[in-house]
């Protein structure tokens, strides 16, 4: 009896402790959101979203930064999804059991996920800009820097490397969720392994793959450190029209307003409004990921 009472007390204490920790996290998020919404909601308008900065970034809007963020995220998605999905397909569908190559790839993915984002920026500067871009300039005979300079292409490829582990892990989990009976039935009916993959496995895993894409997009849209050295610009009223053009970014724009403004008080409303737009964009992307994940689970439970 005493042992049972002791277990109940310990269980209740642990439940209260974990509940308090969860409540503390939610409270911190609520405080941050309240502060951002209170400071920025009054300055978010159609003109703010569609006009470029003006008066030395002391007035105007954020359209170049909004456009640059969208273009960067689109290019990053186009770069990371094929590589991530194909890698996950190899690891789960084609790699033989006990494959050293598959084990090495999985270790590399885990280690890649733990690398600080600023290191990816230095990697992008050294590999994509100086090595790849510089080699292209020499190969194409450019006398001045053309591809060997920061640009939206190199920034998007750097973010693609950053978000690659998210896509690989989520895609592999989606492939694992497809019942083995579906594969067996397809093969028993005479389909080849590639036909089974294309017509049975990938369609069944598509919601999970899309979830990984949205999660990668939501992370890439909010990252600033990797693009500091690879393409983000302090102030560009013109929109990027080439793959080697520099661009403005909402995250970097927030950093500039917070640290480089000659009058912090005057730019504070613009700063809060920019952060509010960036948070709204990130939350919408994550909400889409949650809805897709819920749909995937419902379909998986229905299949069982």
């Amino acid at each position: 009896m005493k042992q049972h009472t002791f277990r109940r007390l310990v269980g209740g204490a642990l439940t209260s402790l974990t509940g308090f920790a969860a409540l503390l996290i939610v409270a911190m998020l609520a405080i941050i959101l309240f502060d951002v919404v209170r400071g920025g909601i009054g300055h978010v308008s159609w003109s703010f979203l569609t006009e470029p900065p003006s008066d030395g970034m002391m007035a105007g809007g954020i359209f170049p930064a909004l456009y640059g963020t969208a273009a960067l995220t689109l290019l990053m998605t186009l770069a990371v999804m094929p590589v991530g999905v194909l890698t996950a397909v190899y690891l789960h569908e084609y790699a033989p059991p006990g494959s050293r190559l598959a084990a090495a790839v999985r270790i590399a993915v885990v280690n890649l996920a733990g690398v600080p984002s600023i290191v990816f920026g230095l990697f992008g500067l050294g590999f994509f800009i100086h090595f790849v871009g510089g080699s292209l300039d020499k190969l194409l005979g450019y006398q001045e820097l053309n591809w060997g300079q920061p640009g939206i292409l190199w920034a998007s490829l750097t973010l693609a490397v950053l978000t690659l582990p998210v896509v690989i892990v989520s895609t592999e989990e989606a492939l694992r969720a497809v019942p083995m009976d579906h594969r067996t039935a397809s093969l028993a009916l005479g389909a080849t392994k590639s036909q089974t993959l294309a017509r049975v496995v990938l369609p069944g895993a598509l919601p999970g793959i899309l979830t990984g894409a949205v999660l990668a997009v939501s992370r890439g849209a909010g990252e600033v450190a990797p693009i500091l050295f690879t393409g983000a610009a302090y102030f560009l009223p013109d929109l990027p029209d080439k793959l080697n053009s520099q661009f403005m970014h909402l995250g970097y724009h927030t950093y500039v307003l917070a640290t480089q403004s000659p009058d912090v008080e005057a730019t504070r409303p613009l700063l809060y409004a920019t952060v509010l737009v960036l948070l709204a964009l990130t939350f919408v992307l994550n909400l889409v990921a949650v809805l897709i994940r819920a749909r995937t689970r419902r379909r998986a439970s229905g299949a069982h």
Side-chain angles (χ1 to χ4, degrees):
M1 186 65 180
K2 291 182 179 180
Q3 187 176 7
H4 179 68
T5 303
F6 176 75
R7 289 179 178 177
R8 290 184 58 185
L9 290 176
V10 172
L14 291 177
T15 301
S16 301
L17 184 61
T18 55
F20 174 75
L23 183 62
L24 182 62
I25 293 175
V26 173
M28 292 171 61
L29 177 61
I31 292 173
I32 294 174
L33 288 178
F34 175 76
D35 183 56
V36 172
V37 172
R38 182 185 63 177
I41 192 65
H43 299 86
V44 177
S45 63
W46 180 250
S47 60
F48 179 74
L49 296 175
T50 57
E51 293 180 358
S54 58
D55 297 336
M57 301 183 70
M58 303 283 290
I62 58 170
F63 181 69
L66 192 61
Y67 180 89
T69 303
L72 174 72
T73 305
L74 176 61
L75 289 174
M76 178 205 72
T77 305
L78 294 176
V80 72
M81 288 307 298
V83 178
V85 172
L86 290 176
T87 302
V89 167
Y90 168 76
L91 292 176
H92 191 267
E93 301 292 331
Y94 289 100
S99 171
R100 293 184 179 181
L101 177 60
V105 171
R106 286 193 170 92
I107 293 175
V109 169
V110 172
N111 291 332
L112 198 63
V115 175
S117 58
I118 191 67
V119 177
F120 285 99
L122 295 174
F123 166 78
L125 176 64
F127 179 75
F128 290 122
I129 296 178
H130 291 318
F131 179 70
V132 179
S135 299
L136 283 176
D137 285 342
K138 293 179 180 178
L139 182 64
L140 299 175
Y142 289 111
Q143 299 299 321
E144 298 180 353
L145 291 179
N146 189 45
W147 293 104
Q149 63 180 353
I152 191 170
L153 175 62
W154 307 134
S156 63
L157 292 179
T158 302
L159 285 181
V161 177
L162 172 70
T163 55
L164 188 60
V166 177
V167 177
I168 293 175
V169 172
S170 60
T171 301
E172 195 170 2
E173 289 296 326
L175 294 172
R176 191 174 290 113
V178 178
M180 187 59 65
D181 293 343
H182 294 183
R183 296 176 174 84
T184 305
S186 177
L187 294 173
L189 291 174
T192 63
K193 189 168 185 177
S194 59
Q195 290 174 332
T196 301
L197 177 66
R199 299 180 182 180
V200 177
V201 179
L202 289 180
L206 183 60
I209 296 174
L210 293 178
T211 300
V214 175
L215 291 174
V217 167
S218 63
R219 183 183 180 187
E223 287 287 348
V224 178
I227 65 174
L228 288 176
F229 313 111
T230 55
Y234 178 90
F235 173 66
L236 280 177
D238 298 327
L239 302 179
D241 56 353
K242 299 178 181 178
L243 290 177
N244 59 348
S245 299
Q246 288 188 285
F247 61 97
M248 294 186 68
H249 186 271
L250 286 174
Y252 187 55
H253 188 62
T254 300
Y255 169 77
V256 170
L257 291 177
T259 60
Q260 308 298 321
S261 174
D263 189 348
V264 177
E265 293 299 326
T267 56
R268 189 183 299 274
L270 297 177
L271 174 62
Y272 272 99
T274 303
V275 173
L276 180 59
V277 172
L278 181 58
L279 285 178
L281 177 63
T282 305
F283 285 167
V284 167
L285 292 173
N286 279 279
L287 177 61
V288 173
V290 170
L291 294 177
I292 293 176
R293 188 183 301 113
R295 180 184 175 186
T296 304
R297 290 175 178 174
R298 286 197 300 269
R299 292 184 60 179
S301 60
H304 290 294

